Amino acid sequence: MSNSSEVTTGEAIRISGLSHHFGEKQALKDIDWVLPQKGIVGLVGPNGAGKTTLFSLIAGFLTLQKGTISVLGESSPVASALMGRVGVMPQDAIFARDISIFDQLLFLLKLDGYQGEVAEQRVREVMQRVGLETELFRGAAVLSHGMGKRLGVAQAILANPEIVLLDEPTAGLDPANARQIRHLMRELAETSLVIVSSHNLLELQDLIDSVGVIVGGELISSGTVEEVTRRARRFEIHLDAKVEVELVVELKQLSHINEVEFSDQQLTVSLNADQEDGLNGALSQLYRFLIEKGLPPHEVREGASLEQAYLKLTGEDQSS
Amino acid sequence: MIQFRHVLLHAQKLIIHSLRTGSGVAFIFLTILIGLSLANLSITPVELGFTTAEEFRESASKAIGFALATASLRMGGENENGPPDTDILSRMESGDLIDLGMWARYLILDNPMLLSITVLLLGVVLPLILPLGSFTAISSDVQHRTVRYLLPRTSRLSLLVGRWLGTLFLSWVLILLLLFSVVVYLSIMLPPEATESMVPWAGRCLFSLCCLATPYVSLGILCSAVFRVPMVALLAAVGATVGTPLLALSLQEAWDPLGNLLYLLPWGYSHELLSPNGDKVFTAVAYSLGHSLLFMTLAAWRFRRADL
Amino acid sequence: MAASDRPGGLTALSVLNGFFALAVGGTTIQRFMTSYDLMEVAEGEVRGRGWRRRYLKSLLDEGLTPMDLQILALIGLVATLLLLVSIWGLLKRSNLIGRWLGTLGGVALAAFYILNIDWLPETYLRGSGLSIARQIFYPLFLIFMLHVIFRRDFLQAQGKSG
């Protein structure tokens, strides 16, 4: 059962000076990161950036080479006091094929300290939460990819852990199932810290409270979504008239405008919200300019700012 | 950090899992099949009347003496002239190998001969079968990354010790079943007075085989913890078990002390588990436990540092 | 989706069932043939080699009747058929055909070998005693596996198909 020893520091995980290498290859370089006790934290980065390595180190799959990871006040991620308090959904692990899903989850829950009827009830409850209650007594080998993902999430949250690590939890899921898992994550985040790695930045943007961006083994940016994307708020503006090049040239000269893209009746504008008057000042300036030009916005919506920030941070942005 | 509750849970799960997998069922069935076939091999000549009990006893005594001399690295002796076979036999009668002669007689005359022969044969063959029960204990979960579901919940040491305990228990139960079948059969076949002396000797044989199984199961677990691919773990365990005596005995030809390589595995002392000398039995048991401890310590050292 | 979630142990048991069905089937044929030979010897017909006739005569002298052998052969036949049919049931995890016919096959197999030991004279069994012990071990193992280890697999499969 999850053991709730007090963590007075208000942080669930503290990573200091973490480096890791596989042979010659440096997978992580000097990472420092502090994660809160509750909420959803996204971990993003290109393939091979070191996300899974960082996950594996926090989960205790890999042994620490350099640096420290303190989890829930314990100085090591494999401390016995942490057993059952951290739930992990690894990306590539598979369940045993010769034992039913029910028996496997029951066994895991027994390791977490549950017993008897309570444990059986809990397994049914969690399987229901991920929509797999009908598959309880089947073998894991017959599950589809999406069902396997949901089963992975189910085993991670079995014992109400205080920290949940989910590696690509919605990859390969249909929209309804992905939504169900996102809903589940939000529920978990009310009492626990959920760390989720994903390539679906649009999905993450609506889901997470804070984010860490890893590139080439380095944590190049971290903080709340607001903080990370502050320098690149991106808006799509639909006008009633066709956008002229002269308008774009003038627009680019405004102090709060970083970039402008346009097509037909649409402007996509990256605002610099880092000045003293913040995002409101930047938006006011934009609106004022458009109204002065006799082009009041027909529709304004915030674009994929996390994606934009990510592309900028990782150097993959080709638009500018 | 070992959590005893977890150790028991892992052991229990391993036993149930072994019974549900194809390789587990094959291990159980092969152990019983091969074990009973070996017993059949030692009993059939007398049963079919190919030889009389006396003739069989005499030739068995010689064969056992010869095997004991080989196992205790005493084939080359003081008297190096003359044909080796007759030399060994005469040395067993009145020379430097007289203790081996007495030992063979202890197994053949003082105790039920057919049971002794069966157990001696099992002592040679069981080390080759036991890796079948342990090669997947750790490596299978590591290969399929199933171990990643366990690591946040249990310590690596509890997992390793639990898997070892489960495999050991399963092996002991199989040895018990095997000996039980042989003893029941011999009890039916032999006159009732022979049965009485058989039961305590069967208990002693069971103890010896269980002691013998412990280091070999530990070796299997060590290979399973070191190698990520189960078949490689199996080959390593069987290869080491077969290769060690072959290497030791052939190197002994070149230089006598190299024969001591036999002691890398229990081959060097396992026969002493059935010795008439209590001190030697005690030493052999201690060596068995020592070997098991060594293999498990190496397994724990490797497994605790492994990237899983 | 993968093809099946049948535990490997059930597949192994179905292979072993096939192996033992062949073994007991062979012995059954042997029992039938010996029973006819015995009948001929009992009726005084002189056929075959001398040693074979003397051997059959000695069996009759020890109290073995052709009827005993025919009953044994019949039980063997039942065991063979049940074990063969249960292979399909084990692979399909059918509670009736796999679990229960397999159990009956196991019981018939055990009965066949136990009655062999009990009814056949020592001269007939000599040298095959431990192989019979081996044959008795299997039905016990099979019944244990079907009713303890795989019980829930059969019941669940039945629940799904029902």
Side-chain angles (χ1 to χ4, degrees):
Chain A
M1 234 167 271
S2 64
N3 175 357
S4 55
S5 76
E6 285 294 313
V7 179
T8 49
T9 51
E11 62 198 31
I13 297 175
R14 172 174 286 274
I15 300 169
S16 313
L18 185 68
S19 296
H20 200 85
H21 59 84
F22 298 106
E24 296 285 296
K25 187 178 184 286
Q26 186 82 32
L28 293 176
K29 285 177 212 156
D30 207 25
I31 288 185
D32 295 295
W33 199 13
V34 177
L35 299 171
Q37 278 183 298
K38 289 177 195 170
I40 305 181
V41 177
L43 185 58
V44 299
N47 291 331
K51 301 190 296 293
T52 301
T53 305
L54 182 58
F55 247 74
S56 301
L57 284 163
I58 297 173
F61 302 154
L62 303 179
T63 45
L64 287 174
Q65 291 172 348
K66 190 177 168 217
T68 57
I69 302 177
S70 119
V71 180
L72 296 171
E74 300 293 333
S75 57
S76 156
V78 290
S80 57
L82 291 174
M83 301 299 170
R85 295 170 70 192
V86 180
V88 184
M89 192 205 94
Q91 199 181 13
D92 46 4
I94 56 171
F95 278 82
R97 70 177 296 275
D98 297 295
I99 301 181
S100 74
I101 291 167
F102 180 78
D103 286 336
Q104 294 193 59
L105 293 185
L106 198 60
F107 172 70
L108 295 178
L109 208 46
K110 280 181 181 170
L111 289 176
D112 286 332
Y114 284 72
Q115 279 172 343
E117 277 292 309
V118 181
E120 292 190 10
Q121 193 50 42
R122 177 70 188 157
V123 169
R124 288 175 210 277
E125 214 175 275
V126 171
M127 286 295 274
Q128 200 162 16
R129 277 180 90 179
V130 297
L132 287 176
E133 64 275 23
T134 53
E135 309 299 325
L136 255 184
F137 294 100
R138 305 201 69 188
V142 295
L143 297 185
S144 66
H145 174 74
M147 285 168 149
K149 284 273 176 195
R150 283 187 280 154
L151 181 59
V153 174
Q155 68 76 32
I157 62 169
L158 268 179
N160 282 322
E162 292 161 61
I163 297 174
V164 184
L165 299 163
L166 304 171
D167 202 352
E168 300 274 355
T170 55
L173 293 188
D174 60 53
N177 281 320
R179 192 175 163 182
Q180 190 181 17
I181 296 298
R182 283 198 297 273
H183 180 71
L184 195 63
M185 284 194 262
R186 279 195 202 97
E187 275 182 17
L188 288 169
E190 286 170 18
T191 54
S192 316
L193 168 67
V194 180
I195 307 175
V196 54
S197 98
S198 175
H199 285 113
N200 189 341
L201 299 176
L202 280 175
E203 177 187 75
L204 278 188
Q205 182 167 342
D206 291 338
L207 186 71
I208 58 180
D209 303 306
S210 55
V211 65
V213 183
I214 293 193
V215 179
E218 288 178 86
L219 186 70
I220 56 168
S221 181
S222 66
T224 62
V225 176
E226 173 84 12
E227 285 165 353
V228 170
T229 60
R230 201 168 53 176
R231 291 175 188 83
R233 300 301 289 263
R234 184 178 165 93
F235 289 85
E236 286 172 5
I237 301 159
H238 291 265
L239 306 173
D240 285 331
K242 193 171 185 304
V243 178
E244 300 295 337
V245 181
E246 295 75 27
L247 178 84
V248 175
V249 173
E250 278 185 61
L251 195 55
K252 278 185 173 173
Q253 287 165 358
L254 296 180
S255 60
H256 284 85
I257 305 295
N258 277 342
E259 287 167 27
V260 181
E261 291 165 39
F262 69 100
S263 64
D264 198 28
Q265 295 187 341
Q266 182 184 312
L267 280 169
T268 303
V269 183
S270 288
L271 295 180
N272 181 356
D274 205 21
Q275 293 183 18
E276 208 173 301
D277 48 358
L279 179 65
N280 286 340
L283 279 172
S284 308
Q285 189 188 42
L286 175 66
Y287 285 144
R288 236 184 357 257
F289 172 80
L290 291 172
I291 290 165
E292 277 170 13
K293 293 288 172 189
L295 295 166
H298 173 71
E299 186 190 343
V300 178
R301 68 185 181 92
E302 189 163 6
S305 59
L306 181 61
E307 185 175 64
Q308 188 67 16
Y310 169 84
L311 291 172
K312 273 185 170 300
L313 288 165
T314 57
E316 293 172 31
D317 188 2
Q318 304 296 320
S319 64
S320 52
Chain B
M1 53 192 170
I2 288 190
Q3 298 132 302
F4 289 103
R5 205 180 131 267
H6 282 190
V7 168
L8 294 179
L9 280 170
H10 289 305
Q12 187 189 21
K13 192 196 167 219
L14 181 126
I15 293 168
I16 293 172
H17 196 206
S18 294
L19 289 169
R20 292 181 64 88
T21 58
S23 62
V25 170
F27 166 61
I28 292 167
F29 194 73
L30 273 179
T31 307
I32 297 291
L33 188 82
I34 293 174
L36 287 177
S37 301
L38 285 176
N40 209 10
L41 196 71
S42 55
I43 293 168
T44 305
V46 181
E47 209 181 4
L48 285 178
F50 292 157
T51 174
T52 64
E54 275 316 307
E55 284 169 353
F56 188 67
R57 184 167 282 130
E58 198 173 318
S59 48
S61 174
K62 286 175 191 165
I64 290 174
F66 199 80
L68 288 174
T70 308
S72 50
L73 303 172
R74 290 164 66 186
M75 286 290 276
E78 296 152 355
N79 177 9
E80 287 175 359
N81 303 320
D85 284 9
T86 50
D87 180 45
I88 289 280
L89 291 177
S90 61
R91 283 163 65 197
M92 274 167 51
E93 288 298 324
S94 54
D96 62 315
L97 299 184
I98 195 161
D99 55 321
L100 298 186
M102 287 170 66
W103 189 350
R105 280 193 288 277
Y106 167 74
L107 295 173
I108 296 297
L109 293 173
D110 302 352
N111 288 295
M113 169 179 69
L114 295 177
L115 188 58
S116 298
I117 296 172
T118 305
V119 171
L120 286 173
L121 287 175
L122 282 175
V124 176
V125 175
L126 269 184
L128 306 178
I129 307 175
L130 289 173
L132 282 176
S134 54
F135 77 106
T136 55
I138 303 284
S139 58
S140 177
D141 275 6
V142 173
Q143 187 188 35
H144 298 117
R145 301 265 170 103
T146 312
V147 73
R148 291 191 165 190
Y149 293 132
L150 302 173
L151 292 180
R153 299 173 157 94
T154 189
S155 71
R156 294 183 183 207
L157 205 53
S158 303
L159 178 65
L160 185 79
V161 174
R163 296 283 169 96
W164 171 76
L165 198 64
T167 313
L168 192 61
F169 182 76
L170 191 65
S171 306
W172 283 356
V173 168
L174 286 177
I175 291 169
L176 174 71
L177 277 175
L178 201 53
L179 273 190
F180 181 75
S181 315
V182 175
V183 169
V184 167
Y185 182 71
L186 288 176
S187 307
I188 295 169
M189 207 182 81
L190 297 173
E193 60 271 17
T195 311
E196 279 176 34
S197 64
M198 194 151 49
V199 173
W201 183 240
R204 167 81 189 277
C205 290
L206 176 66
F207 174 74
S208 302
L209 287 178
C210 287
C211 282
L212 173 74
T214 309
Y216 285 108
V217 166
S218 309
L219 175 68
I221 296 284
L222 169 63
C223 291
S224 191
V226 169
F227 300 102
R228 288 166 175 265
V229 181
M231 281 315 288
V232 177
L234 177 66
L235 284 176
V238 174
T241 309
V242 177
T244 302
L246 290 180
L247 193 71
L249 294 175
S250 37
L251 288 178
Q252 191 195 13
E253 297 282 318
W255 189 41
D256 248 12
L258 285 176
N260 289 316
L261 286 173
L262 208 56
Y263 287 89
L264 285 175
L265 288 180
W267 289 118
Y269 57 81
S270 55
H271 53 285
E272 290 184 349
L273 289 164
L274 285 177
S275 166
N277 182 336
D279 288 344
K280 283 193 169 180
V281 176
F282 181 79
T283 311
V285 172
Y287 276 146
S288 287
L289 295 178
H291 247 133
S292 309
L293 192 66
L294 174 69
F295 292 147
M296 286 306 290
T297 306
L298 286 173
W301 177 77
R302 177 70 185 84
F303 193 55
R304 283 179 76 166
R305 293 159 53 97
D307 285 343
L308 302 172
Chain C
M1 281 202 189
S4 168
D5 58 348
R6 181 180 58 242
L10 270 182
T11 313
L13 278 185
S14 64
V15 172
L16 288 173
N17 265 13
F19 172 76
F20 277 91
L22 289 179
V24 76
T27 317
T28 298
I29 293 169
Q30 196 193 2
R31 297 286 182 271
F32 264 125
M33 288 168 66
T34 312
S35 78
Y36 288 115
D37 288 350
L38 267 187
M39 271 195 281
E40 285 169 1
V41 173
E43 286 161 11
E45 286 182 29
V46 182
R47 283 174 66 179
R49 290 179 187 170
W51 67 266
R52 172 80 178 153
R53 211 172 49 247
R54 279 196 299 279
Y55 171 65
L56 292 170
K57 185 86 173 56
S58 73
L59 292 181
L60 283 173
D61 293 343
E62 286 188 70
L64 184 69
T65 66
M67 180 63 87
D68 292 341
L69 285 177
Q70 280 166 4
I71 294 173
L72 284 178
L74 198 66
I75 298 172
L77 184 66
V78 171
T80 306
L81 292 176
L82 286 171
L83 288 175
L84 283 176
V85 172
S86 68
I87 292 175
W88 184 82
L90 291 180
L91 293 175
K92 291 285 165 197
R93 271 172 297 171
S94 157
N95 192 41
L96 177 68
I97 300 173
R99 185 164 162 236
W100 286 108
L101 290 193
T103 305
L104 288 178
V107 171
L109 187 64
F112 176 74
Y113 285 114
I114 289 170
L115 290 176
N116 267 294
I117 294 174
D118 197 43
W119 290 0
L120 298 181
E122 211 184 308
T123 45
Y124 195 92
L125 285 176
R126 197 179 287 154
S128 59
L130 268 171
S131 21
I132 289 183
R134 192 169 58 217
Q135 317 284 37
I136 292 174
F137 167 78
Y138 180 67
L140 298 178
F141 179 63
L142 175 68
I143 292 167
F144 168 76
M145 296 294 273
L146 294 181
H147 290 271
V148 179
I149 303 298
F150 294 117
R151 180 175 162 272
R152 202 155 64 184
D153 297 72
F154 287 109
L155 294 178
Q156 289 302 329
Q158 187 187 33
K160 274 193 180 299
S161 61

